[in-house]
Amino acid sequence: ARFAPGVSWLWWNVAGCLAAWLVGHFAGRERVEPAPAPHAAKGNETRRLVGILLTEFALILAGLAALTVAVG
């Protein structure tokens, strides 16, 4: 943005979204086959990953709330 001051800030959102999508698309093209796991382990792994995602989401919300209170 510093080197292109004439570009509206809205276009930086579009450029960032496109860049993230392209990186994800090309990074995801190479498939790695996971090692086979027992059925019970898959359920436990899914619960663990869901727990991690929910914890991260809660931390993001808490950070945003703290930022809102600090700013104003």
Side-chain angles (χ1 to χ4, degrees):
R2 191 176 297 173
F3 301 112
V7 177
S8 171
W9 65 273
L10 293 171
W11 285 109
W12 294 111
N13 293 320
V14 175
C17 179
L18 182 63
W21 184 83
L22 286 172
V23 168
H25 174 73
F26 288 111
R29 292 185 80 180
E30 183 177 330
R31 302 274 184 226
V32 177
E33 293 297 323
H39 181 67
K42 288 182 182 180
N44 291 336
E45 182 70 14
T46 301
R47 284 191 196 104
R48 187 180 73 81
L49 292 175
V50 168
I52 290 171
L53 289 174
L54 290 175
T55 302
E56 289 177 358
F57 181 67
L59 289 173
I60 290 170
L61 288 180
L64 289 174
L67 185 62
T68 301
V69 169
V71 172

